[in-house]
C-alpha cells in the first residue's frame, strides 16, 4: 500500500530555496513534520513559519559531520525521522581548466560528501527501527555528462553510484534508497541555463511531486520529467558517433556552455562563496 505522508517525520537539506523549499512545502501541506537544514537559517525559518511547530529550521552545513550532529540535536523534537531528503547542492559552471581548486572542492563537498554525511548521520537510527527512506536528489547529468559542468557532473555521477550501493547495503535493514534525476529545473541554481531542444524545463514543484511519489511508493530511480529516463537509456545503447550527433542536434551537449552569464551572475557569486572558509 502507498505510504501516507501525514504523520511522517522528514528532513530536507537545502530546504530554504528551490527544490528543497518546494519539497518542504509539499510535505508540510500534507501533514508531515519537517526539519529544514540549511546554511541560510534565517530564510529557512521564514519557510517554516506558516506551518507552526510541525516545521522547524536549523542551521546545517552538510559538508561537516559535526554540523549534522548539532542539527539533529536541534530538531530532535520532530524525530525519529522516517525520511531523509538529501537535496542540498551547488552548480558553479565553467571550463574545468579555469575552475579554481577551491570551487571544485566545494562542489564535491556539498553535492557528494553532503549526501554521504547525511546518510551516515541519519541512517543508523533508521536501521535501529528497521524502517526508513533516503531520497538523494542528483541530476540528469549524473547519467549524461555535459561540458562546462565537469565537476558538477562528476559529483552527480558519484551521487548516483553512492545511492545504488547504499540501496543494496541498507535494503536488508528495511531502508529504501531512491535517487531522483531532474533535467533543467527552473530554480536559481539553473538560472540562465537553456533547456535542450525539445525538452521543456521543469519546475521545483515538479521535482518535489516526484520526491513525494517516491516516498509514497519507493522506487530505485526516478527522473523528472519521467519520459527523459527512457530517452537517455535508449540513447546510451547507440554507437558513440550517433550519440554525439544527437547531442549536437538537440544542443544537449552544450546547454551548460550556453548558459547566460548575466542571468547567472547572482547565483554564481553566491555559490562560489561556498568555496570559502565555511562551505
Amino acid at each position: 500500500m502507498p505510504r501516507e505522508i501525514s504523520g511522517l517525520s522528514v528532513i530536507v537539506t537545502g530546504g530554504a530555496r528551490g527544490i528543497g523549499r518546494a519539497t518542504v512545502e509539499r510535505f508540510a501541506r500534507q501533514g508531515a513534520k519537517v526539519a529544514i537544514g540549511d546554511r541560510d537559517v534565517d530564510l529557512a525559518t521564514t519557510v517554516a513559519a506558516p506551518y507552526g511547530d510541525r516545521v522547524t529550521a536549523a542551521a546545517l552545513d552538510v559538508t561537516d559531520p559535526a554540523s549534522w550532529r548539532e542539527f539533529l540535536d536541534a530538531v530532535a523534537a520532530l524525530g525519529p525521522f522516517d525520511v531523509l531528503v538529501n537535496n542540498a547542492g551547488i552548480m558553479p559552471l565553467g571550463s574545468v581548466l579555469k575552475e579554481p581548486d577551491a570551487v571544485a572542492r566545494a562542489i564535491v563537498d556539498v553535492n557528494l560528501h553532503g549526501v554521504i554525511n547525511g546518510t551516515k548521520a541519519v541512517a543508523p537510527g533508521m536501521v535501529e527501527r528497521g524502517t526508513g527512506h533516503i531520497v538523494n536528489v542528483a541530476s540528469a547529468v549524473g547519467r549524461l555528462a555535459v561540458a562546462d559542468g565537469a565537476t558538477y557532473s562528476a559529483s552527480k555521477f558519484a551521487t548516483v553510484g553512492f545511492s545504488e550501493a547504499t540501496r543494496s547495503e541498507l535494503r536488508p535493514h528495511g531502508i529504501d534508497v531512491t535517487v531522483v534525476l531532474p533535467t533543467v529545473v527552473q530554480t536559481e541554481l539553473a538560472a540562465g541555463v537553456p533547456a535542450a531542444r525539445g525538452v521543456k524545463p521543469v519546475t521545483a514543484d515538479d521535482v518535489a511531486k516526484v520526491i513525494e511519489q517516491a516516498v509514497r511508493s519507493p522506487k530505485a530511480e526516478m527522473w523528472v520529467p519521467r519520459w527523459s529516463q527512457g530517452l537517455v537509456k535508449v540513447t546510451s545503447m547507440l554507437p558513440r558517433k550517433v550519440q554525439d550527433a544527437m547531442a549536437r542536434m538537440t544542443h544537449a551537449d552544450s546547454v551548460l556552455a550556453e548558459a547566460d552569464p548575466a542571468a547567472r551572475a547572482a547565483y554564481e557569486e553566491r555559490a562560489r562563496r561556498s568555496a570559502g572558509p565555511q562551505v
Side-chain angles (χ1 to χ4, degrees):
M1 295 291 293
R3 180 185 291 149
E4 287 293 326
I5 300 298
S6 178
L8 290 179
S9 293
V10 183
I11 293 171
V12 181
T13 69
R17 294 178 172 85
I19 294 170
R21 179 170 186 163
T23 302
V24 170
E25 292 172 343
R26 178 168 281 274
F27 278 84
R29 286 195 303 267
Q30 297 179 68
K33 295 180 288 183
V34 186
I36 306 172
D38 204 288
R39 288 185 62 201
D40 191 341
V41 70
D42 291 336
L43 182 57
T45 299
T46 66
V47 175
Y51 305 103
D53 58 7
R54 286 192 299 106
V55 181
T56 297
L60 174 62
D61 173 357
V62 297
T63 72
D64 181 3
S67 181
W68 270 101
R69 291 190 290 272
E70 293 167 2
F71 167 76
L72 290 175
D73 286 342
V75 300
L78 295 183
F81 291 98
D82 305 291
V83 180
L84 166 63
V85 181
N86 281 313
N87 164 75
I90 59 172
M91 189 176 76
L93 299 179
S95 167
V96 68
L97 300 183
K98 298 178 181 178
E99 179 181 77
D101 292 342
V103 170
R105 284 193 296 271
I107 293 170
V108 174
D109 277 348
V110 176
N111 297 355
L112 175 58
H113 292 151
V115 173
I116 295 172
N117 291 337
T119 300
K120 289 181 175 181
V122 179
M126 294 178 174
V127 169
E128 288 179 6
R129 295 186 301 277
T131 184
H133 193 164
I134 298 171
V135 180
N136 297 325
V137 180
S139 167
V141 301
R143 290 287 192 192
L144 185 67
V146 181
D148 276 60
T151 304
Y152 176 76
S153 186
S155 72
K156 294 303 186 178
F157 264 79
T159 298
V160 172
F162 181 79
S163 300
E164 292 181 348
T166 53
R167 183 181 309 117
S168 297
E169 184 173 334
L170 297 175
R171 184 188 298 117
H173 300 284
I175 301 172
D176 296 301
V177 178
T178 298
V179 62
V180 175
L181 297 95
T183 57
V184 176
V185 185
Q186 294 173 325
T187 64
E188 185 188 19
L189 180 143
V193 177
R197 188 173 295 166
V199 179
K200 182 181 178 181
V202 298
T203 67
D205 191 61
D206 289 333
V207 183
K209 184 177 181 180
V210 169
I211 293 171
E212 176 196 336
Q213 291 169 348
V215 172
R216 287 187 181 277
S217 300
K219 292 181 175 61
E221 183 173 319
M222 300 183 74
W223 286 61
V224 193
R226 184 176 178 179
W227 59 262
S228 59
Q229 179 176 12
L231 177 63
V232 170
K233 289 193 173 183
V234 169
T235 302
S236 68
M237 294 186 289
L238 298 173
R240 172 59 68 175
K241 288 184 179 180
V242 177
Q243 292 183 43
D244 292 344
M246 291 178 65
R248 289 193 297 271
M249 182 174 62
T250 60
H251 290 195
D253 62 339
S254 58
V255 291
L256 299 185
E258 293 175 358
D260 180 354
R264 288 193 61 74
Y267 173 77
E268 288 283 342
E269 192 277 332
R270 184 168 65 82
R272 289 168 187 269
R273 279 204 310 270
S274 64
Q278 181 185 2
V279 178

